[in-house]
């Protein structure tokens, strides 16, 4: 055994293991505090709020384009930057309308035929409005 291996074994005492675990817990606590500070800043300052809301909506649109669960994530993201739960719900509704507008723009002239497809259009509108609302419940937790 070399001297470096022996010194590595000496560092593996229970006291050092506890210190490493405490350091990891402290680092995660600091990360949580920084996240709460950033959210508070985004909720209280006008300019930061506008930037955070636009970023959350854009990110939510990207995820919604990739998968339907992106609608839930988008609703959660826009609600998290809201100053209150009530405004978070309103932001989620607005995000759902934004998704419907983006969908209509994406399908182009075929959007004029969508109202004639009655059963499926109900699912589309219901999902675009309901799933972001479901995601906005995250604002009540954080």
């Amino acid at each position: 055994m070399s001297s470096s291996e022996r010194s590595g074994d000496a560092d593996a005492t229970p006291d050092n293991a506890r210190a490493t675990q405490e350091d990891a817990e402290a680092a995660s606590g600091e990360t949580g505090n920084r996240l709460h500070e950033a959210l508070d800043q985004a909720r209280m300052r006008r300019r930061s709020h506008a930037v955070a809301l636009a970023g959350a909506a854009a990110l939510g649109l990207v995820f919604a384009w990739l998968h339907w669960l992106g609608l839930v994530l988008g609703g959660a993201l826009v609600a998290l930057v809201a100053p209150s739960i009530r405004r978070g719900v309103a932001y989620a509704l607005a995000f759902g309308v934004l998704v419907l507008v983006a969908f209509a723009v994406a399908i182009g002239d075929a959007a004029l035929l969508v109202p004639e497809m009655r059963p499926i259009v109900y699912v589309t509108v219901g999902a675009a409005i309901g799933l972001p609302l479901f995601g906005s419940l995250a604002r009540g937790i954080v």
Side-chain angles (χ1 to χ4, degrees):
M1 214 185 253
S2 70
S3 63
S4 64
E5 289 174 342
R6 275 185 246 131
S7 66
D9 290 340
D11 289 341
T13 63
D15 292 333
N16 288 340
R18 266 187 253 124
T20 304
Q21 183 180 7
E22 290 171 359
D23 290 342
E25 289 173 1
S28 69
E30 289 175 18
T31 304
N33 288 339
R34 280 187 266 155
L35 178 62
H36 281 289
E37 289 173 10
L39 278 175
D40 287 342
Q41 181 180 359
R43 291 174 183 161
M44 299 301 167
R45 294 187 180 164
R46 182 179 223 89
R47 185 179 207 109
S48 297
H49 179 72
V51 170
L53 185 59
L59 191 60
L61 275 175
V62 168
F63 283 118
W65 191 264
L66 297 174
H67 196 273
W68 63 268
L69 282 174
L71 292 167
V72 177
L73 180 65
L77 289 174
V78 297
L80 284 175
V81 298
S84 67
I85 295 173
R86 186 172 290 185
R87 279 182 113 180
V89 169
Y91 288 171
L93 280 171
F95 177 73
V97 171
L98 177 66
V99 167
L100 285 174
V101 169
F103 176 68
V105 169
I107 61 175
D109 292 336
L112 299 173
L113 301 174
V114 170
E116 295 176 13
M117 297 184 249
R118 286 212 175 77
I120 195 68
V121 80
Y122 297 148
V123 173
T124 304
V125 172
I129 301 297
L131 291 175
L133 278 176
F134 180 68
S136 73
L137 296 176
R139 176 62 177 94
I141 296 170
V142 176

